[in-house]
Amino acid sequence: MTIFLRNRRSWAAGTATALALASLAALAGTATPASASGRATASGPAATATASAPDPAAALKSASPAAFAAPAASAALTLPRPTGPYATGRDTLFLTDHERTDPWVPAAGARRLLVSLHYPARPGSGGDPAPYMPEAEARLMLAQRGLDDPEWPGLVAATRTSSRTDVRPAPGRFPLVLLSPGFGTPRATLTGLAEELASRGYVVATADHPYESTGTELPDGRVLTCAACDEVDAQPDDAGRRKVLAAVSAGRAADFSFLLDRLTGPRPAWRHARTIDARRVGMAGHSIGGNAAASTMAADRRVDAGVNMDGTFFDPVAARGLDGRPFLLLGTDPGHAPGAGDTSWDEGWARLDGFKRWLTVRDSGHFTFTDTPAIGEQLGIVDPDAPLSAARSTAITRAYVTAFFDRSLRGRPARLLEGPTPAHPEVLFQRP
């Protein structure tokens, strides 16, 4: 994938490391190399580490020599507004699992999670606008993608969301949806989807998995960088890289089982936990986070339905299936079409034993299902390999993920999942 950036100033961005990582794309049989990784140093108390390519199935694509000028400082970036009837609130939890040592940096001690909780809220009940992400995280994420304009981290970090902090939840109890981001990608990049689901009556818990992202800023200001990416890079061959990435997915299953305990157990960590209906739990993820949805369902019967958005099954779908629970595959076309580059979807499809759909989206790219298109368009980024507009990317992701969870967790009719529709001509129903 070649990324072009509009306007005038140019330089080479990450080309050498992109070539070094090109072999990772072969893990999924794709022709496109994985993204350039680079060493990025956070300011202040941030740690320094290699921020390597995310999910090599189709991950961050390499940035070619590019030219751009940052938009005017007054042109604030915004996420598309959610479309549901509820206002949305957001809380943040910092949790420690004292029964597990961090798998990537054992010297760090117990496994920790940062979690954003979006929830249906009472309108006008107070609170400040919820921030998008810390500037240190934005700087590391952009540097990993070869985008190092000094003004951009502040612009991305200040992206306007539709949620507010310290607002009262709407009355009632709501299904819970867990969200997991791609490998090397901060949880903030799934904010748009989280807000949409919350506006439609779901509590949404999006987790950052420490040492699996370009940067995770802790409450004390320290920034953890991607030790798991270094582990992938250190492997001598594709088999070794696959093994590490399978461990990433399986480890996230343990993270989410712990999170479910802390959200729905007898002494919940969240102040509004009473709003969660623990009998109705779904999970979705992007890239390796989508693999983690299946891994979590295999490990934890409490998760009733799952969605994989363009992620390779490095940790295969359980041979026994998922006990009849529903699962949605939503990916790029043709890269995730039957018999295309990622054969793990063909193998996984055969093992899924409940209601299932396999959808691919024409003109899409690996990050179509995240906030990247919306933010990228506002920064002037053009990707000729993924021409689907931000508006269409947002509409499709929201519509199909929401329809799937409405059907799976609420028992509502979902005609959108029955077959092609003129409203979404880019979406193809695959029937292998």
Side-chain angles (χ1 to χ4, degrees), residues 5-276:
L5 300 131
R6 297 188 183 98
N7 299 319
R8 292 184 289 272
R9 196 152 38 89
S10 67
W11 69 91
T15 305
T17 45
L19 293 173
L21 292 169
S23 62
L24 293 182
L27 289 174
T30 60
T32 308
S35 169
S37 69
R39 294 199 177 265
T41 304
S43 61
T48 302
T50 301
S52 300
D55 186 343
L60 299 173
K61 310 304 183 182
S62 63
S64 65
F68 67 81
S74 59
L77 308 182
T78 60
L79 293 181
R81 291 189 63 81
T83 63
Y86 290 100
T88 58
R90 199 202 74 185
D91 281 347
T92 303
L93 293 180
F94 182 51
L95 304 174
T96 301
D97 183 355
H98 294 286
E99 296 184 1
R100 296 171 61 216
T101 299
D102 190 277
W104 309 113
V105 183
R111 181 68 162 169
R112 294 166 292 181
L113 295 181
L114 266 169
V115 182
S116 294
L117 283 150
H118 290 84
Y119 57 96
R122 297 176 188 263
S125 59
D128 297 322
Y132 185 62
M133 70 163 63
E135 187 168 340
E137 291 186 11
R139 183 180 300 109
L140 288 163
M141 180 182 71
L142 291 167
Q144 194 277 337
R145 303 183 189 200
L147 305 173
D148 56 359
D149 185 286
E151 295 183 35
W152 281 21
L155 285 168
V156 171
T159 298
R160 292 176 181 169
T161 70
S162 294
S163 299
R164 303 185 78 84
T165 61
D166 298 319
V167 292
R168 289 182 293 166
R173 301 186 71 194
F174 304 98
L176 172 65
V177 173
L178 310 172
L179 292 182
S180 186
F183 188 46
T185 307
R187 73 187 189 281
T189 57
L190 294 177
T191 298
L193 178 58
E195 290 188 332
E196 175 69 11
L197 289 167
S199 81
R200 292 183 170 274
Y202 293 88
V203 174
V204 185
T206 311
D208 253 335
H209 308 273
Y211 302 110
E212 297 175 20
S213 171
T214 50
T216 301
E217 185 174 293
L218 302 183
D220 63 7
R222 287 180 296 154
V223 178
L224 309 181
T225 50
C226 197
C229 300
D230 295 339
E231 186 69 20
V232 171
D233 286 348
Q235 300 308 305
D237 52 28
D238 289 353
R241 289 186 280 269
R242 281 185 175 275
K243 185 176 181 179
V244 174
L245 291 164
V248 170
S249 186
R252 291 190 179 192
D255 288 344
F256 279 107
S257 287
F258 164 70
L259 178 56
L260 276 173
D261 291 342
R262 300 299 290 123
L263 291 178
T264 65
R267 293 187 298 276
W270 184 40
R271 58 180 173 166
H272 299 313
R274 66 185 182 279
T275 64
I276 295 173

Side-chain angles (χ1 to χ4, degrees), residues 54-55 57-59 180-183 285-292 308-312 366:
D55 186 343
S180 186
F183 188 46
H286 170 245
S287 196
I288 208 162
N291 188 176
N308 180 348
M309 297 183 291
D310 213 52
T312 293
H366 186 57

